[in-house]
Amino acid sequence: MAATEQPGTEPSQADGAALARGWLENSPFVSQLGIRIETMEPGRAVLSMPFSDALPTLGDVVHGGAISSLIDTGAAAAAWSGAEVPERPRAATIGITIDFLAPARGQGVTADARVVRRGGSGLCFCQVDATTDDGTHVAMALVTYQL
Amino acid sequence: MAATEQPGTEPSQADGAALARGWLENSPFVSQLGIRIETMEPGRAVLSMPFSDALPTLGDVVHGGAISSLIDTGAAAAAWSGAEVPERPRAATIGITIDFLAPARGQGVTADARVVRRGGSGLCFCQVDATTDDGTHVAMALVTYQL
Amino acid sequence: MAATEQPGTEPSQADGAALARGWLENSPFVSQLGIRIETMEPGRAVLSMPFSDALPTLGDVVHGGAISSLIDTGAAAAAWSGAEVPERPRAATIGITIDFLAPARGQGVTADARVVRRGGSGLCFCQVDATTDDGTHVAMALVTYQL
Amino acid sequence: MAATEQPGTEPSQADGAALARGWLENSPFVSQLGIRIETMEPGRAVLSMPFSDALPTLGDVVHGGAISSLIDTGAAAAAWSGAEVPERPRAATIGITIDFLAPARGQGVTADARVVRRGGSGLCFCQVDATTDDGTHVAMALVTYQL
């Protein structure tokens, strides 16, 4: 992951959110899924993925992989948001666990991702909930992200 | 998930693989990612996802969500393969855990999914490994799927 | 897991909590760890495990396995609490994921377990947080339990 | 976790296994469960936990927490085995996911833990399988351990 350029500014917590925004706007896979940022604040990101004909596994049921992608992306954005950006930013999801609670049928999905704890060596422990437009809780997840 | 039609045949283990093949060929999300079946045998499926410009998170690094989608799809195919198909097939991923071991850079990814145990009430416990074309082990996963 | 006897009563939601209490009081492993019930209400259980010299991995750091045991037990109690008890109760943890956020040093640990969703076929999706006596959040977990 | 003393020797890969052995022999919680080392080789550890009356959840079914503890301990031992020991060894389980495949009834359990990949910043990704004395595969797990 490459940082967005922030010429002439000192590294700061604002940079993390800017980096995440720049990344999301330029990511081919994120764009393909139609994922967009709703809210970003330190340690939290809310991302939405409107329903489209490209998302279902069959019929109108959104593929679990699309929901996983939204959750993973949300955790990364939350982890960057509020974090200081190093000179050469590198980051990766270390591990992800998702419980699928209900199908998402013909509706957009929103992921609310929060950093629960920032550990040593850049580890970020996140919790993510995914909900459809009508309020159905479709998935909950734990994501470990390394900045 | 809707079953492919198998008129005039009795339910059999062959049906499970046929259902999975029919589903994969007709799934909008699976098609969008370019996922295809390499091998199917009872309790096992090998699926490949060739590299394309739509898969990266940034640069040439395949998005973790694309790998998650491949793994999830592979586990579902393995679970169906060798399973009897009920009159009204319904199925869903219950839970998925993925450890990301290394980035997949500019290469296609293959997922090898095996059913480790078929439990009561249709639960299938699967193990999945994802490897790039050059043999890098990029992810390992446990998937619980319910037929 | 065997049910506590409830002769002469109809199955009811109260039975689930009673079954969980009876089980916890009679479980050799639960007793060995000193786990006790603080709160039980439908779909929720709070269990505590006071610090003792038998719990550390080394020094005064509570072994992750002891915390895992507390979390697993808490999820089971929450799943039973508020559930109807069948004639021949059988139950099992299907899967558990725990993120360890901080060490628990020389202190008791409390697990707060909530059922997030009761699915079909008796699946209970639970979320559990573990905290030490001084309020340190030491672990968060997702547990899938089958009644 | 404190290192066993190795006065007069240079840090080496042998130290990691020695440290793990010293830790297991002196751990109150590990001793309480009766866990012992069967095999240690670089990146692998096989640990056994003989059946005892203290392990069941009820009747003769070994508590999932006891199996979790065995798996967690096995992964830690595998991670240390073959690793260089720093001057001030610190380590912790970061995350653990366990799928429970079958109950362990009245039998000892053995965990076979392997390091699948040693990542940067000391992260060790491990895979663990737990089997009863009669060969029943009772659990499979992914463990992320940080040295």
Side-chain angles (χ1 to χ4, degrees):
Chain A
M1 186 188 306
T4 55
E5 292 181 33
Q6 298 285 334
T9 60
E10 293 300 304
S12 75
Q13 294 196 345
D15 287 1
L19 182 147
R21 283 186 184 277
W23 158 53
L24 285 168
E25 282 162 17
N26 290 289
S27 167
F29 189 70
V30 170
S31 300
Q32 188 189 192
L33 296 185
I35 294 172
R36 53 195 191 204
I37 301 171
E38 298 296 331
T39 306
M40 280 191 75
E41 51 192 67
R44 183 168 176 235
V46 179
L47 269 54
S48 66
M49 180 174 68
F51 183 76
S52 83
D53 290 346
L55 297 183
T57 180
L58 261 197
D60 65 349
V61 178
V62 178
H63 193 289
I67 296 172
S68 301
S69 301
L70 176 68
I71 287 172
D72 186 22
T73 305
W80 276 114
S81 189
E84 277 193 28
V85 177
E87 240 176 284
R88 299 179 50 191
R90 299 178 53 212
T93 302
I94 297 297
I96 188 168
T97 292
I98 305 171
D99 280 2
F100 293 98
L101 306 172
R105 292 187 171 280
Q107 304 210 21
V109 182
T110 297
D112 187 342
R114 290 93 57 202
V115 175
V116 175
R117 184 177 173 81
R118 297 188 187 273
S121 23
L123 287 177
C124 286
F125 296 94
C126 303
Q127 213 166 37
V128 191
D129 287 286
T131 313
T132 52
D133 295 343
D134 68 358
T136 307
H137 192 183
V138 292
M140 60 180 179
L142 301 181
V143 184
T144 307
Y145 193 78
Q146 183 157 42
L147 292 181
Chain B
M1 187 188 307
T4 53
E5 290 181 35
Q6 299 285 333
T9 59
E10 293 299 305
S12 74
Q13 294 196 345
D15 287 1
L19 181 148
R21 282 186 185 278
W23 158 51
L24 285 169
E25 281 161 18
N26 290 288
S27 167
F29 189 71
V30 170
S31 300
Q32 188 189 191
L33 296 186
I35 294 173
R36 52 196 191 203
I37 301 171
E38 298 295 331
T39 305
M40 281 191 74
E41 51 193 66
R44 182 169 176 235
V46 179
L47 269 55
S48 65
M49 181 175 68
F51 183 77
S52 82
D53 289 346
L55 297 183
T57 180
L58 260 198
D60 65 349
V61 177
V62 177
H63 194 290
I67 297 172
S68 300
S69 301
L70 175 68
I71 286 172
D72 186 22
T73 306
W80 276 113
S81 190
E84 278 192 28
V85 177
E87 241 177 283
R88 297 181 51 192
R90 298 179 52 213
T93 301
I94 297 298
I96 188 167
T97 293
I98 306 172
D99 280 2
F100 292 98
L101 306 172
R105 292 187 171 280
Q107 302 211 20
V109 182
T110 297
D112 187 341
R114 291 93 55 200
V115 176
V116 174
R117 184 176 173 81
R118 296 187 187 275
S121 23
L123 287 177
C124 286
F125 296 94
C126 303
Q127 214 167 39
V128 190
D129 288 286
T131 313
T132 52
D133 295 342
D134 67 358
T136 306
H137 192 182
V138 292
M140 60 181 180
L142 301 181
V143 185
T144 307
Y145 193 79
Q146 183 157 42
L147 292 181
Chain C
M1 185 189 307
T4 54
E5 291 181 34
Q6 300 284 334
T9 60
E10 292 301 303
S12 76
Q13 294 195 345
D15 288 0
L19 181 147
R21 283 187 184 276
W23 157 54
L24 286 169
E25 282 162 16
N26 290 287
S27 167
F29 189 71
V30 170
S31 300
Q32 188 189 191
L33 296 185
I35 294 172
R36 52 196 191 202
I37 301 170
E38 298 295 331
T39 306
M40 281 191 74
E41 50 192 65
R44 181 169 177 235
V46 179
L47 269 53
S48 65
M49 180 174 69
F51 183 76
S52 82
D53 290 346
L55 297 183
T57 181
L58 260 197
D60 65 348
V61 178
V62 177
H63 193 290
I67 296 171
S68 301
S69 301
L70 176 68
I71 287 172
D72 185 22
T73 305
W80 276 113
S81 190
E84 277 192 29
V85 177
E87 240 177 282
R88 296 179 52 192
R90 298 179 54 212
T93 302
I94 297 298
I96 188 167
T97 292
I98 306 171
D99 280 1
F100 292 97
L101 307 172
R105 292 188 169 280
Q107 302 210 22
V109 183
T110 297
D112 188 341
R114 291 92 57 201
V115 175
V116 175
R117 185 176 172 81
R118 297 187 186 274
S121 24
L123 286 178
C124 287
F125 296 94
C126 304
Q127 215 168 39
V128 191
D129 287 286
T131 312
T132 52
D133 295 342
D134 67 359
T136 307
H137 192 183
V138 291
M140 59 181 179
L142 301 181
V143 185
T144 307
Y145 193 78
Q146 183 157 41
L147 291 181
Chain D
M1 185 187 306
T4 54
E5 290 182 34
Q6 299 284 335
T9 60
E10 293 300 304
S12 75
Q13 294 196 345
D15 288 0
L19 182 148
R21 283 186 184 277
W23 158 52
L24 286 169
E25 281 163 17
N26 290 288
S27 167
F29 189 71
V30 170
S31 300
Q32 188 188 191
L33 296 185
I35 294 173
R36 52 196 191 202
I37 301 171
E38 297 295 331
T39 305
M40 281 191 74
E41 51 192 66
R44 182 168 178 236
V46 179
L47 269 53
S48 65
M49 180 174 68
F51 183 77
S52 82
D53 289 348
L55 297 183
T57 181
L58 260 198
D60 65 349
V61 177
V62 178
H63 193 290
I67 296 172
S68 301
S69 301
L70 176 68
I71 286 172
D72 185 22
T73 306
W80 276 113
S81 190
E84 278 192 28
V85 177
E87 240 177 283
R88 296 180 53 192
R90 298 180 54 214
T93 302
I94 297 298
I96 188 167
T97 293
I98 306 172
D99 280 2
F100 293 97
L101 307 172
R105 293 188 170 279
Q107 302 210 21
V109 182
T110 297
D112 187 341
R114 290 92 56 200
V115 175
V116 175
R117 184 175 171 83
R118 297 187 186 274
S121 24
L123 287 177
C124 286
F125 296 94
C126 304
Q127 214 167 37
V128 190
D129 288 285
T131 313
T132 52
D133 295 342
D134 67 358
T136 307
H137 191 183
V138 291
M140 59 181 179
L142 301 181
V143 185
T144 307
Y145 193 79
Q146 183 158 42
L147 291 182

